[in-house]
Amino acid sequence: MAQQQALGGDGWLEAVRRVPSPHCNARPAGTVIDLLVIHNIALPPGAFGGPWVEQLFCGQLDPDAHPYFATIASNPVSAHLFIRRDGETVQFVDLWQRAWHAGRSCWHGKSECNDYGIGIELEGTDETPFTAAQYRRLAALTGEIMRRFPAITAERIVGHSDVAPGRKTDPGPAFDWGRYRRLLAAVDGARR
């Protein structure tokens, strides 16, 4: 990929736990990575902790472990990064690869956001406030991603609901965009 050759480096971040997912593939040739999509997830719905998100993203979710899991276990989904409630971060997909997080999506007239976007999942729900540790970690990771991928600007950081309106609602009304953007500005200011 020309962008990778120009920017260099691999797509694995430091100080995160790596759990490679099979639910990824190469981005289309010539793709410029220029979008960051923020999501939320809780498995089972409304529950935090446990191994379920990692198992889902790795294609290992037992459909018999919870009634809800039977409806999603066969879906090949992943995100690049997952931030737990305590701020622990797991990376599933190399940032240069296409993770399968946004599904059918469009941003500013350009469809298939998985092709050119990076997906970060926060452990949470639309209605549950996210933790201070999650906001701090999200801002720090975003700063690192923006450093590596300069085409991702503050204006190109969106929610899943922005790229799949009517189909998705996350990160939801409990996500405090103002708080996140203030922390991101502080991270950006400290980099300069």
Side-chain angles (χ1 to χ4, degrees):
M1 171 186 290
Q3 186 185 24
Q4 184 175 8
Q5 290 172 346
L7 298 175
D10 70 15
W12 294 97
L13 300 176
E14 299 296 322
V16 298
R17 187 162 53 90
R18 294 182 188 180
V19 179
S21 170
H23 300 157
C24 62
N25 58 358
R27 296 180 190 268
T31 297
V32 172
I33 299 169
D34 64 359
L35 189 71
L36 179 65
V37 182
I38 299 173
H39 307 258
N40 76 47
I41 188 169
L43 290 179
F48 306 136
W52 312 117
V53 173
E54 288 184 33
Q55 290 177 4
L56 174 67
F57 288 172
C58 291
Q60 301 170 346
L61 186 63
D62 179 357
D64 298 322
H66 185 277
Y68 179 72
F69 295 170
T71 67
I72 63 167
S74 63
N75 294 343
V77 298
S78 62
H80 291 92
L81 297 154
F82 173 54
I83 304 173
R84 292 187 172 277
R85 304 293 290 176
D86 63 2
E88 180 199 8
T89 305
V90 181
Q91 185 170 358
F92 294 95
V93 177
D94 180 308
L95 299 178
W96 290 108
Q97 294 289 307
R98 175 174 46 197
W100 303 340
H101 59 96
R104 293 288 171 235
S105 52
C106 183
W107 182 247
H108 288 191
K110 189 175 173 185
S111 64
E112 304 304 330
C113 296
N114 287 343
D115 290 351
Y116 56 95
I118 292 173
I120 299 179
E121 292 272 4
L122 298 171
E123 185 174 36
T125 70
D126 288 7
E127 294 81 27
T128 306
F130 295 91
T131 68
Q134 286 179 300
Y135 283 109
R136 285 191 303 272
R137 191 68 174 135
L138 178 60
L141 288 170
T142 301
E144 175 64 17
I145 290 167
M146 292 172 77
R147 184 187 64 75
R148 290 179 180 222
F149 300 92
I152 298 176
T153 62
E155 297 75 30
R156 297 197 57 82
I157 300 171
V158 298
H160 197 187
S161 58
D162 297 315
V163 300
R167 188 173 68 81
K168 295 294 179 177
T169 58
D170 57 313
F175 184 75
D176 187 339
W177 283 98
R179 179 178 186 179
Y180 165 59
R181 293 199 187 277
R182 285 189 299 278
L183 287 168
L184 181 57
V187 166
D188 187 45
R191 280 196 335 236
R192 292 185 180 158

